[in-house]
Amino acid sequence: MVPGLAFPIKPPRPPLDEAAIAELYRRCGALVLRRCRLLLRDPAEAEDALQEVFMRLLRYGASLEGERVPLSWLYRTAERCCFDRLRRRRREEPVDEAALAREPTPIDEALGSEAREVLGRFFHRLPDKLKRLALLHYLDGLPQERIAVELGWSRRTVGKKLRALAERAVRWKSGART
Amino acid sequence: MHVLLSDFDGRTGHPPRRDLERWLAQEASGEEWKRIADHLASCRACEEYVEACRGEQEALEARSPPATFAASVLARAASGAAPRPRWPFLLAASATAALLLIAVLLWRPAAEGERWRGAAAVVRVYLEREGQRALLGDHRPRPGDRLRYEIALPPGQRAYAALVALESARALPVLPASRAAPPFEIAGTSFLPGSAALEGGAPARLLLVIRPAPFAIDSLLVEAEFAVRQGRTLEGVAHQLLLDPEAP
Ligand SMILES: [Zn+2]
């Protein structure tokens, strides 16, 4: 404890060695992979993205506080990796929404139809912040207070954007582009 | 920032999926751990979700054991390798440690010196390993090896060539590496510029396409994907190689 502070200051995380990476992979590998697969819809590329997440952890992880790398950090990093890849891919080939809608994902069964539409065929139309909102809401099932914390928004903004997202999904479904 | 108490969804009574995942990742502790454990003991849907995640982890570790994965991440980080291209066989700089535990590649080459649409295009494939080059012949390519293609056309003939990869039904450019680049114009006997570096990954086919007229790589890829889906042959395939790291 540092005098005058109400919370203990956590030491920076020690650099990861091979054993620590393996341990984190055992706890979280498949969970992170699942997210990458949902975003990329390409199993081989998703496994590559999983490696990239851990490489980013080696590069940036020392600034994380505490001993354990939180799942939320891995998810955020996986999202960034996948968004980058999707952008590169979009430059190379047009998006086939119908294929995205058909392509099965590991978690499809667990999701409602609105969630499937937003996370599937319409996902690429969203700006990155709204993509994250959609993931936290539809995929993770987080309550609005916690989404607000994750995104650094007010609870009110989260509510407003979620309503707008749902309306957009309905409009897109009926065939409107915007 | 951790929220210590799970917010069980007021409507459904289930914890958010994220909390089930944090529980699996051994991030939940104390009261939160207990609340989720209690819920799992009495909720079949959540228990099934958790079991499915566990199954995925087991499958992942069977494909890519933790030690291998960790070694490969460290090797890639040390080599400063950029994110790998989508097709994992191809990597500009190979990270050797990443390759140690990958099974030997199987290959099934077309006959050397395959004829090209009646004209005599002779294709030789060389394997480069540790600074040595040898005809592919009966060598088995291994991860870390590079393939180089030599094409001989009859005197006075001119043609256009490109190497593409097919991974299940997806076609990707290899040489040239960009879909926007033109194919290589060839004449006489020459090597295709560049080489294809092999790394472990999903099974794939390498197709060398040689055609008498220029073509766009982009449309070649579309054609190749179409041919695979329809079970047709792709026009101008002068050589093909099956790479299957999973094969015994
Ligand atoms: Zn439940």
Side-chain angles (χ1 to χ4, degrees):
Chain A
M1 291 286 283
V2 174
L5 287 176
F7 300 99
I9 292 183
K10 292 175 183 165
R13 214 182 33 71
L16 289 176
D17 59 8
E18 197 168 323
I21 294 174
E23 196 267 339
L24 186 60
Y25 171 82
R26 262 186 222 105
R27 284 196 292 118
C28 305
L31 293 171
V32 177
L33 179 62
R34 180 179 262 257
R35 211 167 190 86
C36 296
R37 285 178 69 168
L38 176 101
L39 289 171
L40 296 170
R41 312 271 163 156
D42 178 331
E45 193 181 3
E47 298 210 2
D48 199 51
L50 175 65
Q51 284 210 6
E52 198 186 335
V53 171
F54 279 75
M55 284 168 70
R56 291 196 189 189
L57 180 63
L58 289 176
R59 229 176 303 152
Y60 308 116
S63 61
L64 284 173
E65 284 187 345
E67 304 218 319
R68 285 216 144 164
V69 178
L71 189 61
S72 59
W73 189 93
L74 293 173
Y75 279 172
R76 265 200 307 280
T77 305
E79 285 155 17
R80 265 187 224 119
C81 292
C82 294
F83 293 167
D84 289 349
R85 282 162 186 262
L86 290 171
R87 255 190 297 278
R88 283 202 292 273
R89 191 194 286 176
R90 212 161 43 227
R91 277 202 295 271
E92 289 169 10
E93 58 198 73
V95 175
D96 180 353
E97 286 188 356
L100 285 179
R102 276 195 309 274
E103 197 95 23
T105 68
I107 40 97
D108 271 356
E109 323 78 78
L111 299 172
S113 70
E114 182 182 310
R116 276 204 299 272
E117 298 268 322
V118 174
L119 296 176
R121 64 201 286 203
F122 301 137
F123 196 71
H124 68 96
R125 294 192 193 172
L126 298 171
D128 287 356
K129 264 268 169 154
L130 291 185
K131 282 189 175 125
R132 293 206 56 221
L133 173 69
L135 288 170
L136 296 168
H137 174 69
Y138 290 115
L139 186 62
D140 297 334
L142 288 181
Q144 295 189 10
E145 297 76 17
R146 283 171 64 186
I147 295 179
V149 172
E150 288 258 356
L151 294 179
W153 292 350
S154 73
R155 157 77 205 273
R156 239 175 82 95
T157 306
V158 171
K160 235 164 49 194
K161 300 248 182 200
L162 279 176
R163 278 191 298 280
L165 201 59
E167 281 162 19
R168 259 200 237 202
V170 171
R171 275 206 308 280
W172 281 336
K173 217 177 158 178
S174 68
R177 278 295 307 187
T178 50
Chain B
M1 148 115 200
H2 292 286
V3 176
L4 288 179
L5 290 183
S6 305
D7 316 73
F8 280 43
D9 187 312
R11 217 158 24 89
T12 63
H14 302 291
R17 254 187 308 274
R18 170 72 75 94
D19 287 344
L20 295 176
E21 292 161 6
R22 291 187 50 228
W23 188 85
L24 261 173
Q26 299 160 31
E27 272 185 21
S29 58
E31 171 123 358
E32 185 189 16
W33 189 92
K34 191 176 176 312
R35 279 185 75 180
I36 295 197
D38 288 348
H39 180 82
L40 287 173
S42 64
C43 176
R44 193 157 164 189
C46 289
E47 173 61 21
E48 274 173 6
Y49 180 76
V50 165
E51 275 314 309
C53 291
R54 282 203 182 107
E56 282 172 20
Q57 181 65 36
E58 272 167 32
L60 176 63
E61 287 181 25
R63 270 199 314 280
S64 172
T68 319
F69 178 86
S72 142
V73 166
L74 286 170
R76 273 178 77 184
S79 74
R84 259 188 276 177
R86 196 158 53 223
W87 193 52
F89 276 103
L90 307 167
L91 183 64
S94 59
T96 38
L99 311 172
L100 292 178
L101 289 146
I102 296 163
V104 179
L105 294 157
L106 246 198
W107 61 278
R108 202 167 59 208
E112 293 287 340
E114 186 160 315
R115 297 179 79 77
W116 163 61
R117 282 168 57 91
V122 180
V123 177
R124 286 189 208 92
V125 183
Y126 292 86
L127 193 99
E128 290 182 338
R129 179 184 299 164
E130 288 152 12
Q132 310 270 354
R133 180 189 290 171
L135 261 178
L136 185 56
D138 48 13
H139 294 284
R140 299 180 111 206
R142 291 199 303 240
D145 291 345
R146 286 168 173 279
L147 297 180
R148 296 217 60 190
Y149 286 77
E150 188 187 36
I151 304 163
L153 290 181
Q157 271 201 34
R158 191 157 282 284
Y160 298 84
L163 186 67
V164 298
L166 271 175
E167 195 191 22
S168 64
R170 187 194 285 276
L172 298 159
V174 180
L175 297 174
S178 153
R179 352 181 133 233
F184 298 112
E185 189 175 347
I186 51 171
T189 299
S190 59
F191 275 95
L192 214 56
S195 59
L198 303 181
E199 220 198 338
R205 275 188 285 169
L206 279 180
L207 306 179
L208 176 68
V209 174
I210 304 178
R211 291 178 175 176
F215 53 92
I217 302 294
D218 238 334
S219 16
L220 175 64
L221 299 175
V222 172
E223 260 183 74
E225 289 181 355
F226 183 75
V228 173
R229 277 202 301 274
Q230 304 288 314
R232 300 220 194 122
T233 46
L234 179 66
E235 196 186 305
V237 174
H239 189 276
Q240 66 166 298
L241 202 52
L242 175 74
L243 301 161
D244 186 2
E246 312 281 340

